[in-house]
Amino acid sequence: MKPAAQRAPGEVRIVGGRWKRTRLPVLERPGLRPTPDRVRETLFNWLGQDLTGWRCVDVFAGTGALGLEAASRGAAEVLLIERDGALVQQITRLAERLQATGVRVRRGDGVAQLAQCAPGSLDLVLLDPPFDAGPLFLPALQAAARALAPSGRIYLEAPQRWTPERLAPLGLACQRYLKAGASHAHLLGRLPAPENEAARAP
């Protein structure tokens, strides 16, 4: 029998904004590991709660919790991308029920679609891939860094901490960090210009 701590919860909830306390069901799907409520609460404390007008992409949407949390807090445009058809249907139904007019749900390869976003066009990129998707982390971060607005942020949840040495070649720096169980939560932003130039120097 699995220990209780390893069981996927039956639901998570939106913790802030206009849809606060809305419950989101968690389907039994391989690799699905929703960001816990308290970690999402910490993330949006880091971001300052009010995301009015922000443009966001949730690249591995899963339950939709991260992207819908951003929309709940005022983000103007939220694109949720997910490969699993059943999860796409579930998020679509939730968005319709919430009348979330700024939310779009799309089925497909999240990294490939993120790579198609215009450079500098996104205020927030949410990256929470399945932890067994090791090769996806680097291309996802590369695509996110390219699409990020100058003052934008990337949320990265990973099975290990990303060090400054790994982030600097991408032009990124970790601004906030939290370890919660097996998850390492990072809030990333662009390196200041002089450091960014130094990181690219031969």
Side-chain angles (χ1 to χ4, degrees):
M1 178 184 296
K2 286 185 178 181
Q6 293 182 8
R7 292 189 188 127
E11 62 184 21
V12 292
R13 63 188 174 88
I14 295 175
V15 296
R18 57 182 165 157
W19 302 321
K20 185 176 181 178
R21 299 189 182 89
T22 297
R23 297 180 184 278
L24 311 177
V26 178
L27 300 181
E28 289 286 342
R29 314 300 285 181
L32 183 61
R33 176 197 39 78
T35 301
D37 296 353
R38 66 186 182 87
V39 176
R40 276 183 288 112
E41 185 170 20
T42 298
L43 166 61
F44 286 92
N45 285 338
W46 291 344
L47 293 171
Q49 301 290 342
D50 184 2
L51 274 58
T52 299
W54 287 31
R55 298 154 298 171
C56 310
V57 175
D58 187 350
V59 180
F60 307 93
T63 62
L66 284 169
L68 290 173
E69 193 83 54
S72 181
R73 297 164 189 263
E77 300 175 17
V78 180
L79 172 62
L80 298 104
I81 309 168
E82 172 55 49
R83 278 185 178 273
D84 187 298
L87 294 173
V88 169
Q89 290 179 5
Q90 176 181 278
I91 301 167
T92 301
R93 287 194 296 268
L94 281 166
E96 290 172 352
R97 176 162 63 87
L98 294 170
Q99 298 181 334
T101 54
V103 170
R104 292 177 293 144
V105 185
R106 189 179 296 165
R107 184 177 183 181
D109 182 324
V111 175
Q113 295 195 40
L114 179 61
Q116 294 174 11
C117 292
S121 64
L122 298 177
D123 300 298
L124 178 62
V125 180
L126 300 160
L127 299 177
D128 182 15
F131 279 3
D132 61 359
L136 284 177
F137 283 90
L138 182 58
L141 280 169
Q142 290 170 332
R146 178 179 174 275
L148 201 63
S151 60
R153 300 290 182 268
I154 299 168
Y155 173 70
L156 171 67
E157 196 169 325
Q160 71 281 318
R161 186 168 188 170
W162 277 67
T163 62
E165 293 74 20
R166 295 179 75 192
L167 293 168
L170 301 171
L172 298 172
C174 186
Q175 299 175 342
R176 296 292 185 96
Y177 168 79
L178 168 72
K179 186 176 187 299
S183 296
H184 296 257
H186 314 68
L187 186 65
L188 310 177
R190 290 192 180 279
L191 278 171
E195 296 180 37
N196 204 344
E197 289 170 8
R200 291 197 298 266

